[in-house]
Short mmCIF file of all heavy atoms in Angstrom, two decimals:
data_model
loop_
_atom_site.label_atom_id
_atom_site.label_comp_id
_atom_site.label_asym_id
_atom_site.label_seq_id
_atom_site.Cartn_x
_atom_site.Cartn_y
_atom_site.Cartn_z
N ILE A 18 109.97 74.30 155.34
CA ILE A 18 110.59 74.38 156.67
C ILE A 18 112.10 74.51 156.54
O ILE A 18 112.73 75.32 157.24
CB ILE A 18 110.23 73.13 157.50
CG1 ILE A 18 108.73 73.15 157.86
CG2 ILE A 18 111.08 73.05 158.77
CD1 ILE A 18 108.25 71.88 158.55
N ALA A 19 112.70 73.74 155.64
CA ALA A 19 114.15 73.80 155.45
C ALA A 19 114.59 75.18 154.97
O ALA A 19 115.59 75.73 155.43
CB ALA A 19 114.60 72.73 154.47
N LYS A 20 113.83 75.77 154.04
CA LYS A 20 114.20 77.09 153.51
C LYS A 20 114.08 78.17 154.57
O LYS A 20 114.77 79.20 154.51
CB LYS A 20 113.31 77.44 152.31
CG LYS A 20 113.71 76.72 151.03
CD LYS A 20 112.87 77.19 149.86
CE LYS A 20 113.34 76.53 148.56
NZ LYS A 20 112.53 76.96 147.40
N SER A 21 113.20 77.96 155.54
CA SER A 21 113.04 78.95 156.61
C SER A 21 114.12 78.82 157.68
O SER A 21 114.14 79.59 158.64
CB SER A 21 111.66 78.81 157.26
OG SER A 21 111.59 77.62 158.04
N GLY A 22 115.00 77.83 157.52
CA GLY A 22 116.06 77.62 158.50
C GLY A 22 115.71 76.61 159.56
O GLY A 22 116.49 76.38 160.49
N GLY A 23 114.55 75.97 159.43
CA GLY A 23 114.13 74.98 160.40
C GLY A 23 114.56 73.58 160.00
O GLY A 23 115.16 73.35 158.96
N THR A 24 114.24 72.64 160.88
CA THR A 24 114.54 71.23 160.62
C THR A 24 113.23 70.45 160.64
O THR A 24 112.51 70.48 161.64
CB THR A 24 115.50 70.66 161.68
OG1 THR A 24 116.71 71.41 161.65
CG2 THR A 24 115.80 69.20 161.42
N PRO A 25 112.90 69.75 159.54
CA PRO A 25 111.64 68.99 159.51
C PRO A 25 111.83 67.57 160.04
O PRO A 25 112.80 66.89 159.70
CB PRO A 25 111.29 68.97 158.02
CG PRO A 25 112.62 69.06 157.32
CD PRO A 25 113.56 69.81 158.23
N LEU A 26 110.93 67.12 160.89
CA LEU A 26 110.87 65.73 161.33
C LEU A 26 109.52 65.17 160.88
O LEU A 26 108.48 65.77 161.16
CB LEU A 26 111.02 65.61 162.84
CG LEU A 26 112.38 65.99 163.46
CD1 LEU A 26 112.33 65.79 164.97
CD2 LEU A 26 113.50 65.18 162.84
N VAL A 27 109.55 64.06 160.21
CA VAL A 27 108.32 63.48 159.66
C VAL A 27 107.74 62.47 160.65
O VAL A 27 108.47 61.71 161.28
CB VAL A 27 108.61 62.81 158.30
CG1 VAL A 27 107.35 62.14 157.75
CG2 VAL A 27 109.13 63.85 157.31
N VAL A 28 106.40 62.48 160.77
CA VAL A 28 105.68 61.61 161.71
C VAL A 28 104.84 60.60 160.91
O VAL A 28 104.15 60.99 159.96
CB VAL A 28 104.77 62.43 162.64
CG1 VAL A 28 104.01 61.51 163.60
CG2 VAL A 28 105.59 63.46 163.40
N ALA A 29 104.94 59.32 161.30
CA ALA A 29 104.17 58.28 160.61
C ALA A 29 103.44 57.41 161.63
O ALA A 29 103.94 57.15 162.72
CB ALA A 29 105.11 57.42 159.76
N ARG A 30 102.26 56.93 161.22
CA ARG A 30 101.46 56.01 162.06
C ARG A 30 101.03 54.84 161.17
O ARG A 30 100.40 55.04 160.13
CB ARG A 30 100.24 56.74 162.62
CG ARG A 30 99.37 55.86 163.52
CD ARG A 30 98.19 56.65 164.05
NE ARG A 30 97.47 55.91 165.06
CZ ARG A 30 97.13 56.37 166.25
NH1 ARG A 30 97.48 57.61 166.59
NH2 ARG A 30 96.45 55.64 167.10
N GLU A 31 101.42 53.65 161.61
CA GLU A 31 101.08 52.47 160.81
C GLU A 31 101.57 52.63 159.37
O GLU A 31 100.85 52.34 158.40
CB GLU A 31 99.56 52.24 160.81
CG GLU A 31 98.99 51.77 162.13
CD GLU A 31 99.52 50.40 162.53
OE1 GLU A 31 99.23 49.41 161.83
OE2 GLU A 31 100.27 50.33 163.53
N ARG A 32 102.83 53.13 159.26
CA ARG A 32 103.47 53.31 157.96
C ARG A 32 102.71 54.27 157.04
O ARG A 32 102.86 54.23 155.81
CB ARG A 32 103.72 51.97 157.27
CG ARG A 32 104.66 51.07 158.08
CD ARG A 32 104.97 49.77 157.36
NE ARG A 32 105.85 48.94 158.20
CZ ARG A 32 107.18 48.97 158.16
NH1 ARG A 32 107.78 49.79 157.33
NH2 ARG A 32 107.89 48.18 158.94
N ARG A 33 101.87 55.13 157.66
CA ARG A 33 101.18 56.19 156.91
C ARG A 33 101.68 57.53 157.44
O ARG A 33 101.62 57.78 158.64
CB ARG A 33 99.67 56.07 157.08
CG ARG A 33 98.88 57.16 156.36
CD ARG A 33 97.39 56.87 156.47
NE ARG A 33 96.90 57.05 157.82
CZ ARG A 33 96.32 58.19 158.28
NH1 ARG A 33 96.19 59.23 157.49
NH2 ARG A 33 95.88 58.24 159.51
N ILE A 34 102.20 58.37 156.55
CA ILE A 34 102.76 59.66 156.96
C ILE A 34 101.62 60.63 157.28
O ILE A 34 100.70 60.83 156.46
CB ILE A 34 103.68 60.23 155.87
CG1 ILE A 34 104.91 59.33 155.70
CG2 ILE A 34 104.11 61.66 156.21
CD1 ILE A 34 105.85 59.75 154.60
N LEU A 35 101.70 61.23 158.50
CA LEU A 35 100.65 62.14 158.96
C LEU A 35 101.02 63.62 158.80
O LEU A 35 100.13 64.45 158.59
CB LEU A 35 100.35 61.88 160.45
CG LEU A 35 99.92 60.46 160.82
CD1 LEU A 35 99.62 60.40 162.32
CD2 LEU A 35 98.69 60.04 160.01
N GLY A 36 102.29 63.92 158.91
CA GLY A 36 102.68 65.32 158.84
C GLY A 36 104.11 65.53 159.28
O GLY A 36 104.91 64.58 159.36
N VAL A 37 104.41 66.79 159.63
CA VAL A 37 105.79 67.18 159.91
C VAL A 37 105.85 68.01 161.19
O VAL A 37 104.95 68.81 161.46
CB VAL A 37 106.38 68.00 158.73
CG1 VAL A 37 107.82 68.39 159.00
CG2 VAL A 37 106.28 67.22 157.43
N ILE A 38 106.90 67.78 161.97
CA ILE A 38 107.19 68.63 163.14
C ILE A 38 108.24 69.65 162.70
O ILE A 38 109.26 69.29 162.11
CB ILE A 38 107.75 67.81 164.31
CG1 ILE A 38 106.79 66.68 164.68
CG2 ILE A 38 108.02 68.72 165.52
CD1 ILE A 38 107.41 65.66 165.63
N HIS A 39 107.97 70.91 162.99
CA HIS A 39 108.91 71.98 162.62
C HIS A 39 109.82 72.28 163.82
O HIS A 39 109.38 72.80 164.84
CB HIS A 39 108.13 73.24 162.24
CG HIS A 39 109.00 74.39 161.80
ND1 HIS A 39 108.48 75.60 161.38
CD2 HIS A 39 110.35 74.52 161.71
CE1 HIS A 39 109.47 76.41 161.06
NE2 HIS A 39 110.60 75.78 161.26
N LEU A 40 111.10 71.89 163.70
CA LEU A 40 112.09 72.24 164.72
C LEU A 40 112.78 73.53 164.30
O LEU A 40 113.22 73.65 163.15
CB LEU A 40 113.14 71.13 164.86
CG LEU A 40 112.67 69.77 165.37
CD1 LEU A 40 113.85 68.82 165.45
CD2 LEU A 40 112.00 69.89 166.73
N LYS A 41 112.90 74.44 165.23
CA LYS A 41 113.44 75.75 164.89
C LYS A 41 114.75 75.99 165.64
O LYS A 41 114.85 75.74 166.84
CB LYS A 41 112.43 76.84 165.24
CG LYS A 41 112.72 78.18 164.59
CD LYS A 41 111.54 79.13 164.78
CE LYS A 41 111.79 80.44 164.07
NZ LYS A 41 110.67 81.39 164.26
N ASP A 42 115.75 76.47 164.91
CA ASP A 42 117.04 76.85 165.48
C ASP A 42 117.00 78.36 165.73
O ASP A 42 116.88 79.14 164.78
CB ASP A 42 118.16 76.51 164.49
CG ASP A 42 119.37 75.92 165.19
OD1 ASP A 42 119.42 76.02 166.41
OD2 ASP A 42 120.24 75.38 164.50
N ILE A 43 117.12 78.77 166.98
CA ILE A 43 116.97 80.18 167.33
C ILE A 43 118.32 80.89 167.26
O ILE A 43 119.27 80.52 167.96
CB ILE A 43 116.37 80.35 168.75
CG1 ILE A 43 115.09 79.51 168.86
CG2 ILE A 43 116.11 81.81 169.04
CD1 ILE A 43 114.00 79.91 167.91
N VAL A 44 118.41 81.91 166.41
CA VAL A 44 119.63 82.72 166.31
C VAL A 44 119.75 83.61 167.54
O VAL A 44 118.77 84.23 167.96
CB VAL A 44 119.62 83.57 165.02
CG1 VAL A 44 120.81 84.52 164.99
CG2 VAL A 44 119.65 82.67 163.80
N LYS A 45 120.93 83.68 168.11
CA LYS A 45 121.14 84.47 169.32
C LYS A 45 120.92 85.96 169.04
O LYS A 45 121.37 86.46 168.00
CB LYS A 45 122.56 84.26 169.85
CG LYS A 45 122.79 82.87 170.42
CD LYS A 45 124.19 82.73 170.99
CE LYS A 45 124.39 81.36 171.61
NZ LYS A 45 125.74 81.19 172.16
N PRO A 46 120.26 86.66 169.96
CA PRO A 46 120.05 88.10 169.75
C PRO A 46 121.37 88.85 169.77
O PRO A 46 122.26 88.54 170.56
CB PRO A 46 119.16 88.50 170.94
CG PRO A 46 119.38 87.43 171.98
CD PRO A 46 119.65 86.18 171.21
N GLY A 47 121.51 89.81 168.88
CA GLY A 47 122.70 90.65 168.84
C GLY A 47 123.85 90.07 168.03
O GLY A 47 124.85 90.76 167.79
N ILE A 48 123.71 88.79 167.59
CA ILE A 48 124.83 88.17 166.87
C ILE A 48 125.02 88.81 165.51
O ILE A 48 126.15 88.94 165.02
CB ILE A 48 124.60 86.64 166.74
CG1 ILE A 48 125.92 85.93 166.42
CG2 ILE A 48 123.56 86.32 165.69
CD1 ILE A 48 126.84 85.80 167.57
N ARG A 49 123.94 89.25 164.88
CA ARG A 49 124.05 89.90 163.56
C ARG A 49 124.86 91.19 163.66
O ARG A 49 125.69 91.48 162.80
CB ARG A 49 122.65 90.18 163.01
CG ARG A 49 122.67 90.66 161.56
CD ARG A 49 121.26 90.94 161.05
NE ARG A 49 121.30 91.26 159.64
CZ ARG A 49 121.17 90.38 158.66
NH1 ARG A 49 120.99 89.11 158.95
NH2 ARG A 49 121.23 90.75 157.39
#
């Protein structure tokens, strides 16, 4: 997720890690 430009948030239940939420930063169109 980090290499793709996203931000990972980790989710845990009862101190057991279940997975990751992928937060995405959207590049503005035309900026390139």
Side-chain angles (χ1 to χ4, degrees):
I18 291 174
K20 283 184 176 179
S21 71
T24 300
L26 293 181
V27 177
V28 179
R30 181 179 188 130
E31 290 296 295
R32 298 184 181 269
R33 178 174 70 95
I34 294 177
L35 302 182
V37 181
I38 304 168
H39 182 179
L40 296 180
K41 196 170 183 181
D42 221 347
I43 308 298
V44 174
K45 291 182 177 180
I48 199 75
R49 189 181 186 91

